[in-house]
Amino acid sequence: MSQPTTVKHYTRILSLWPKDSLRPNLPFTRTIERRATPYGVKPVSPPVEDAKNSDTSAGKPAPIAKSSPQAELPQINALYSLLENRYSKKYPISPGLLKPTSNPEHYDRLMEEIERAPKKSWLQAKMDEWKMKIRWQ
């Protein structure tokens, strides 16, 4: 695999990677971009500096050494396998696993909460946190 092919693959992966609405300040695309920058891939999103780490060098990660494009092939294949959900298709889980007899709605409620979390205000998040600390039984 040549360097232009490596750039094409990383660019395609970055364009297809889903957005993380739960943690928009820590997208996995930053890790992919960091891995791909030695090959000439331009970052998709501008880097957001963390206020705590902007003045210290201790919070900055070490630079990644550029390896041969052929050595990048396993990493690119791993990213494609995650994008295509190869493992969940190859090893499907049984429906009963997501509906334990002790609490069958647990995972459904968890997914609903994860979907609601990015839309909550700070106050709503704090109220939910306090509610979880009080037992209502």
Side-chain angles (χ1 to χ4, degrees):
M1 181 166 53
S2 65
Q3 184 168 343
T5 308
T6 304
V7 172
K8 282 185 208 175
H9 282 299
Y10 273 125
T11 305
R12 182 169 184 266
I13 288 168
L14 285 169
S15 69
L16 295 174
W17 204 265
K19 305 291 181 241
D20 188 357
S21 58
L22 190 59
R23 294 172 296 179
N25 58 331
L26 298 171
F28 188 65
T29 50
R30 278 199 209 147
T31 304
I32 300 170
E33 288 171 353
R34 185 156 164 66
R35 179 79 189 194
T37 32
Y39 298 97
V41 175
K42 303 292 183 220
V44 175
S45 59
V48 179
E49 287 295 322
D50 188 7
K52 292 183 271 183
N53 292 336
S54 62
D55 58 346
T56 64
S57 61
K60 295 180 183 174
I64 293 177
K66 183 177 175 180
S67 61
S68 72
Q70 192 65 28
E72 285 298 304
L73 189 58
Q75 283 78 13
I76 290 171
N77 283 336
L79 290 170
Y80 276 127
S81 71
L82 291 173
L83 273 174
E84 297 166 1
N85 290 325
R86 284 184 209 162
Y87 306 107
S88 63
K89 291 175 185 173
K90 187 174 180 178
Y91 306 105
I93 57 172
S94 68
L97 187 65
L98 295 177
K99 304 260 185 224
T101 54
S102 62
N103 192 358
E105 295 87 28
H106 173 73
Y107 290 107
D108 295 330
R109 283 186 278 160
L110 181 63
M111 289 307 297
E112 289 171 11
E113 180 63 27
I114 288 172
E115 289 170 5
R116 276 195 315 256
K119 300 171 189 130
K120 285 184 185 179
S121 69
W122 178 86
L123 182 60
Q124 288 172 326
K126 282 295 175 193
M127 292 294 288
D128 285 348
E129 183 182 330
W130 293 332
K131 286 179 190 176
M132 293 301 292
K133 290 182 180 179
I134 299 172
R135 293 190 179 228
W136 295 102
Q137 296 178 0

